[in-house]
Amino acid sequence: MSLNQSPYILYSDGNGNIFEDTSLYATGRSGWDAVPISEDEWIELPDGGSLYELPGRRGIGIDVATGEMRLCEKGWAVAAFIPPAHTGFYIAAYETAPDAPTLPLFCYTAAGWLNNKFYVPATRIESDIRQECAGFDQKSIQEGAAHLIEHYPHNRLVKHLMNTCALTYHCPAARNFSMGRWECPVPASPACNANCIGCISFQPEDETIVSNQDRLSFKPTVEEIVEFTVPHLETAPYPIISFGQGCEGEPLLMWETIRDSIIEIRKHTQQGSINMNTNGSKPDAVEELCKVGLDSIRVSTNSARREIYTPYYRPNNYAFEDIVESLKVVNRYGGWTSLNYFVFPGMTDAVAEYEALRKLIKETGLNMIQWRNFNIDPDWYLGKIGVVDSGERLGMKQLLSLIKEEFPHLKYGYFNPPKERIAGDFENDFAH
Ligand code: SF4
């Protein structure tokens, strides 16, 4: 339902207190530009969302009286972290002071206030509820973690997933594993063959920001992987096991161990899905995994354009074309292919990106796009990849409908779908 007016801009006093300024309507950011947001693009800030104050930054609003754009001088700018399953249409619009600190690796969606509610320009892109914060019960998570550690006393990976991921990082996937449901994470690789600017598991010493989590420090064995994944596949509702997690490097660097694990797993059970989240750098290894039963792949990228991909991923010994080939390989083997598409308004909906995305979908026979908000400081990102002008833009909302119109089979979401959903009524199977 469209609002009858634009929400007002938010600002903070620098002490964590947030206020609305009713002399200014909120705007959004697309690329480097502040732009008005139309009333039908706003939704209430979903449960699980949070608000950030942005030090050293002044929000840009539209003067209620004059219609002119100007800065909110009352305090720091404010942005929203919108919860998983939702895709943002605009970044928060602000002017950055020269000495402002680089922002940590979170997404900074525009936010506003109206009729005692917070609003964000976004859409619910995924009906699956696996990461709804209301669905996580801390007592069950702690009991589940204790049970798993006791049940697998010598398994380093179970200890890592429970003590570090579920109980320290509060990783939704690890928490679902501790609750015996849905997607179970299987990190396997301490190393990576890319050097992403916004890597969430490793940031160089001399960088001004830190990674959100530390990278796995050991190479799990086939036995350690198989020991807990088989029972999960056999007992969990809508079971998936997923190699490639935020707390590791690139799983394809461990493809032999993963291949042998899949072979062993499938000796015990045919239940559930075996998925890999990956940078897609090694299509030959992907083929070996498809031969032994890999069901689905999710390839991450910030862009469907080589010239935008390469300065961000800074790949070692592979190229953009390899990630495209990995999608084609899984498609050839009848597996499910998803793009883990980092959404950056102004770049993702640029006309040049749209054309490149259409080409990639046609070339690879892609099944799904997971439209995931890019967790990165916008100025820092565009500066690092050398973008001074992101060119003509369509608007995220229009981009989503244009792609859907041209590729009606293509699924939209935020999470890896289980076999049951792929085989069933995809849109409605998980609409609770
Ligand atoms: S591919 Fe993943 S692990 Fe590797 S550098 Fe990029 S974000 Fe980090």
Side-chain angles (χ1 to χ4, degrees):
M1 194 197 58
S2 176
L3 296 178
N4 55 15
Q5 71 154 84
S6 173
Y8 299 111
I9 200 169
L10 295 163
Y11 67 92
S12 97
D13 62 2
N15 301 318
N17 303 308
I18 290 176
F19 307 88
E20 78 278 11
D21 177 349
T22 56
S23 74
L24 285 169
Y25 292 128
T27 64
R29 172 177 171 162
S30 176
W32 282 106
D33 303 326
V35 293
I37 301 174
S38 63
E39 275 110 26
D40 66 354
E41 292 181 298
W42 294 94
I43 60 170
E44 262 188 61
L45 177 65
D47 186 31
S50 39
L51 294 171
Y52 296 142
E53 59 182 21
L54 309 180
R57 295 158 174 88
R58 298 277 185 219
I60 299 171
I62 294 173
D63 189 298
V64 171
T66 66
E68 298 296 312
M69 271 199 193
R70 64 174 171 82
L71 296 182
C72 172
E73 301 289 356
K74 295 185 177 177
W76 295 138
V78 167
F81 180 84
I82 52 177
H86 299 82
T87 301
F89 295 150
Y90 299 93
I91 301 164
Y94 51 77
E95 188 173 277
T96 307
D99 60 348
T102 303
L103 299 171
L105 296 170
F106 298 116
C107 76
Y108 300 99
T109 300
W113 172 264
L114 187 65
N115 305 332
N116 298 328
K117 292 181 182 153
F118 293 112
Y119 285 88
V120 289
T123 185
R124 180 156 190 143
I125 200 86
E126 169 66 79
S127 57
D128 183 325
I129 58 158
R130 79 181 68 168
Q131 296 197 9
E132 301 289 283
C133 61
F136 290 113
D137 169 53
Q138 192 56 22
K139 188 164 170 296
S140 317
I141 292 164
Q142 278 157 343
E143 286 166 3
H147 168 73
L148 287 166
I149 290 170
E150 189 192 333
H151 201 68
Y152 305 108
H154 310 297
N155 195 312
R156 297 171 299 167
L157 203 45
V158 169
K159 281 199 185 75
H160 168 79
L161 286 168
M162 293 301 100
N163 291 334
T164 305
C165 304
L167 299 176
T168 307
Y169 297 151
H170 298 291
C171 164
R175 295 197 292 173
N176 278 329
F177 171 41
S178 75
M179 295 175 78
R181 63 188 190 181
W182 307 327
E183 186 171 14
C184 169
V186 190
S189 177
C192 190
N193 57 352
N195 305 285
C196 297
I197 290 167
C199 179
I200 56 175
S201 66
F202 176 78
Q203 283 292 327
E205 286 289 316
D206 59 357
E207 219 17 287
T208 51
I209 58 161
V210 294
S211 60
N212 297 8
Q213 50 254 1
D214 297 330
R215 208 172 266 179
L216 194 68
S217 59
F218 61 90
K219 293 182 176 183
T221 62
V222 171
E223 293 70 28
E224 283 176 314
I225 290 172
V226 174
E227 191 182 28
F228 68 91
T229 50
V230 168
H232 183 81
L233 288 169
E234 289 184 326
T235 59
Y238 302 109
I240 307 175
I241 63 164
S242 276
F243 297 99
Q245 298 296 324
C247 59
E248 65 173 306
E250 173 47 42
L252 287 173
L253 300 187
M254 289 283 289
W255 73 269
E256 292 97 337
T257 299
I258 294 174
R259 175 202 53 203
D260 299 347
S261 301
I262 295 176
I263 292 170
E264 205 49 38
I265 289 168
R266 286 310 184 204
K267 280 184 192 158
H268 296 282
T269 180
Q270 292 308 315
Q271 292 272 92
S273 306
I274 301 181
N275 173 67
M276 178 178 278
N277 305 319
T278 171
N279 65 17
S281 53
K282 300 168 73 68
D284 49 349
V286 170
E287 179 138 23
E288 294 310 314
L289 298 174
C290 287
K291 286 177 184 166
V292 298
L294 183 70
D295 295 299
S296 61
I297 193 174
R298 181 180 77 184
V299 171
S300 297
T301 188
N302 64 321
S303 176
R305 292 175 281 172
R306 177 185 225 283
E307 64 274 20
I308 301 292
Y309 176 91
T310 307
Y312 177 75
Y313 272 79
R314 303 181 291 194
N316 296 342
N317 306 321
Y318 79 92
F320 178 73
E321 288 69 22
D322 292 310
I323 81 166
V324 176
E325 185 55 28
S326 289
L327 289 166
K328 289 182 186 173
V329 167
V330 176
N331 187 263
R332 271 202 305 275
Y333 278 81
W336 181 266
T337 56
S338 293
L339 207 57
N340 184 18
Y341 201 33
F342 305 156
V343 172
F344 190 104
M347 293 294 289
T348 309
D349 58 316
V351 172
E353 179 72 19
Y354 166 61
E355 296 303 343
L357 182 61
R358 294 174 64 218
K359 180 169 170 287
L360 185 140
I361 296 168
K362 286 178 191 152
E363 221 181 300
T364 62
L366 192 67
N367 298 114
M368 181 180 192
I369 297 181
Q370 298 180 20
W371 300 88
R372 300 172 72 97
N373 305 304
F374 206 165
N375 285 324
I376 199 163
D377 177 321
D379 299 344
W380 188 63
Y381 171 64
L382 294 176
K384 286 267 187 179
I385 64 170
V387 170
V388 289
D389 176 0
S390 57
E392 202 193 334
R393 295 162 294 223
L394 299 164
M396 280 302 303
K397 198 169 178 177
Q398 186 181 258
L399 172 71
L400 292 172
S401 52
L402 283 172
I403 294 286
K404 186 61 102 171
E405 211 177 292
E406 183 175 358
F407 305 101
H409 74 284
L410 187 69
K411 302 303 180 196
Y412 284 1
Y414 216 86
F415 308 125
N416 298 310
K419 270 185 183 165
E420 297 84 352
R421 190 174 185 196
I422 292 170
D425 175 353
F426 194 97
E427 303 304 347
N428 297 311
D429 270 4
F430 286 72
H432 297 273

